[in-house]
């Protein structure tokens, strides 16, 4: 029995050392873990969901535009919008004509300020009278305070 132990013990130790060497030198599995795989699947699903929402929103917008704009010709649509804008601005300029005798043409046909009013606003803004310039612009164009203030700030 002692002879068997003397032969078996070194064989077992040699086997254990060989197994440890093979395990240590075996190439590692650098694949993705389950958590990484789950995150990637989740990202793909999220991207698909987002693209579906975008497509639904685009379809809804197209449907709304189709009902509000019966014309299929985009050039005709833009021309109609330009005419409507010009008519509205001309009407508002005619309305403002009686209100301020010094600025009878405050808005030109394309929504621009008259050069006289523009220069007056610019000189007031540069001299530090931005509040007065904002009030004058509001009265001349009937715009809201925020729009007039932003315009005067840019002068």
């Amino acid at each position: 029995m002692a002879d068997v132990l003397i032969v078996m013990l070194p064989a077992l130790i040699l086997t254990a050392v060989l197994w440890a060497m093979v395990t240590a030198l075996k190439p590692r599995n650098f694949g993705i873990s389950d958590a990484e795989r789950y995150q990637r699947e989740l990202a793909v699903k999220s991207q698909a969901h987002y693209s579906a929402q975008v497509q639904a929103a685009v379809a809804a917008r197209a449907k709304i535009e189709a009902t509000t704009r019966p014309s299929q010709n985009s050039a005709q649509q833009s021309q109609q919008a330009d005419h409507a804008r010009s008519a509205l601005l001309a009407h508002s300029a005619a309305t403002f004509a009686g209100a301020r005798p010094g600025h009878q043409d405050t808005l030109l046909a394309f929504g621009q300020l008259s050069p006289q009013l523009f220069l007056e606003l610019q000189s007031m803004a540069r001299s530090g009278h931005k509040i007065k310039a904002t009030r004058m612009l509001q009265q001349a164009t009937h715009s809201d305070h925020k729009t007039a203030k932003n315009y005067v700030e840019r002068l």
Side-chain angles (χ1 to χ4, degrees):
M1 173 101 165
D3 291 336
V4 174
L5 279 176
I6 291 179
V7 173
M8 291 289 280
L9 189 59
L12 283 174
I13 292 174
L14 182 62
T15 306
V17 169
L18 287 176
W19 177 79
M21 294 281 288
V22 167
T23 304
L25 297 176
K26 186 168 81 172
R28 304 223 188 275
N29 183 6
F30 289 109
I32 59 175
S33 67
D34 290 338
E36 290 177 32
R37 187 177 308 115
Y38 175 74
Q39 287 178 346
R40 287 184 183 180
E41 289 173 4
L42 192 61
V44 168
K45 287 179 184 178
S46 175
Q47 186 179 11
H49 179 70
Y50 177 74
S51 65
Q53 283 183 331
V54 168
Q55 288 176 350
V58 168
R61 184 175 184 181
K63 185 177 179 181
I64 289 171
E65 286 184 3
T67 58
T68 58
R69 295 183 183 173
S71 175
Q72 297 296 323
N73 187 353
S74 62
Q76 184 180 4
Q77 289 174 2
S78 63
Q79 185 180 15
Q80 288 172 352
D82 289 341
H83 286 305
R85 190 178 316 111
S86 298
L88 179 65
L89 291 174
H91 174 69
S92 61
T95 305
F96 301 146
R100 293 195 47 117
H103 300 289
Q104 292 188 3
D105 58 340
T106 56
L107 291 177
L108 300 176
F110 297 108
Q112 298 173 347
L113 292 176
S114 67
Q116 180 185 2
L117 179 62
F118 176 76
L119 291 174
E120 190 174 345
L121 290 172
Q122 191 176 29
S123 67
M124 289 176 76
R126 288 184 180 172
S127 65
H129 300 290
K130 291 183 178 182
I131 296 173
K132 289 181 182 179
T134 303
R135 286 184 188 151
M136 182 184 291
L137 183 62
Q138 278 183 284
Q139 290 173 355
T141 61
H142 292 284
S143 63
D144 62 339
H145 178 72
K146 184 177 181 182
T147 305
K149 182 180 176 187
N150 289 339
Y151 186 83
V152 169
E153 288 293 325
R154 282 188 253 137
L155 293 175

